Amino acid sequence: MILTRLGYAARGVLYLLIGIVALQVAFGEGGEADKSGAIRIVAAQPFGTVVLWIMTLGLAALTVWQIRETFSSRGRARDRIESGLRAAFYALLVVSLLGLLLRGKPAASTDSQSQDATKALLDLPGGQVLVAIAALGLIALGVHWIHEGWTKKFMKDMTGGGETVRKLGQAGYIARGVVAIAAGILVGQAAITYDSDKAVGIDGALKSLADTPAGPWLLVAVALGLVLFAAYCVAEARWHRV
């Protein structure tokens, strides 16, 4: 249980760093605003290796717990599917962390991962359709997160925290939803143009927000939402049902 709660805190660290880098990008500085970039920032700090090992243990515990929830007889089928997707996501983070810690292999950016996956799909029969389905899936995920934030449904597994935590979660879920929708739109463009280079991950999706009519201020708003989501993750470490 302690390690699982530590995993939520580790997720908060990653989102905090992603939000900070996204803010820097909005104000004209460089940086990779995704989880691989966040991991590299932690690794570069004093005692960074120790912190990464702690994060790895916590995220591994989260993975195991979500796998258990996936095959649990409790809850609805949709809840079990969501648990399975979260387990896969956390497992990929653990693999990236172990690759850096054990082999010194830095995590690939989410943009390059997305481009590689898109290229692999495009090379298959009916590849454009498969990529289009993936794009729709990302957009649907974004809409789902925005709905979760708007309706505060994410609080159903929280045992405390009050109104402050609800507001943090709302801002965070809506910000994550916007990023997922932006990524889905760009993956959709990759399907239409048959060009895997147009596919992006978190970093490219965030940076694309600065090119909208709202300009860098939309990126600033979403980046702040991710920072608030990091604070919500810390609250999850304290009050989430495990």
Side-chain angles (χ1 to χ4, degrees):
M1 182 180 292
I2 293 175
L3 285 177
T4 301
R5 295 193 184 282
L6 186 62
Y8 280 114
R11 187 173 71 148
V13 170
L14 294 176
Y15 272 103
L16 174 63
L17 293 173
I18 292 170
I20 290 173
V21 173
L23 282 172
Q24 292 175 340
V25 170
F27 291 108
E29 298 182 31
E32 215 168 75
D34 63 5
K35 293 177 179 64
S36 58
I39 290 170
R40 285 193 285 272
I41 290 172
V42 174
Q45 305 308 309
F47 305 106
T49 300
V50 175
V51 174
L52 287 178
W53 272 115
I54 294 171
M55 291 172 65
T56 301
L57 288 173
L59 289 166
L62 262 183
T63 303
V64 172
W65 177 57
Q66 290 297 332
I67 290 173
R68 188 182 67 185
E69 290 289 296
T70 301
F71 295 101
S72 170
S73 59
R74 299 177 304 164
R76 298 171 299 174
R78 190 181 74 176
D79 293 333
R80 294 198 294 273
I81 291 171
E82 289 178 2
S83 292
L85 292 173
R86 283 193 289 266
F89 171 73
Y90 296 142
L92 288 173
L93 274 179
V94 171
V95 170
S96 295
L97 285 164
L98 288 175
L100 178 62
L101 290 166
L102 299 178
R103 301 194 303 275
K105 180 182 177 182
S109 71
T110 54
D111 282 0
S112 64
Q113 290 173 349
S114 179
Q115 288 164 3
D116 290 345
T118 301
K119 185 178 186 304
L121 287 175
L122 287 174
D123 289 340
L124 295 173
Q128 281 183 291
V129 174
L130 294 174
V131 174
I133 291 172
L136 291 174
L138 279 170
I139 293 171
L141 178 63
V143 171
H144 171 69
W145 277 340
I146 291 173
H147 180 261
E148 285 276 301
W150 189 260
T151 60
K152 307 177 187 177
K153 286 188 175 180
F154 58 88
M155 289 295 292
K156 68 180 183 299
D157 291 322
M158 298 289 278
T159 60
E163 186 63 24
T164 299
V165 171
R166 278 193 289 272
K167 289 179 179 178
L168 291 172
Q170 277 191 290
Y173 269 90
I174 290 171
R176 292 170 76 210
V178 171
V179 175
I181 290 171
I185 291 172
L186 292 171
V187 171
Q189 290 180 354
I192 293 170
T193 60
Y194 208 83
D195 183 0
S196 61
D197 288 341
K198 292 188 181 296
V200 299
I202 297 173
D203 180 59
L206 280 166
K207 290 174 180 175
S208 73
L209 298 177
D211 297 328
T212 65
W217 294 110
L218 177 57
L219 177 54
V220 169
V222 172
L224 289 174
L226 295 178
V227 171
L228 294 177
F229 186 74
Y232 170 75
C233 290
V234 175
E236 280 189 305
R238 170 64 179 84
W239 287 296
H240 199 283
R241 175 187 61 80
V242 294

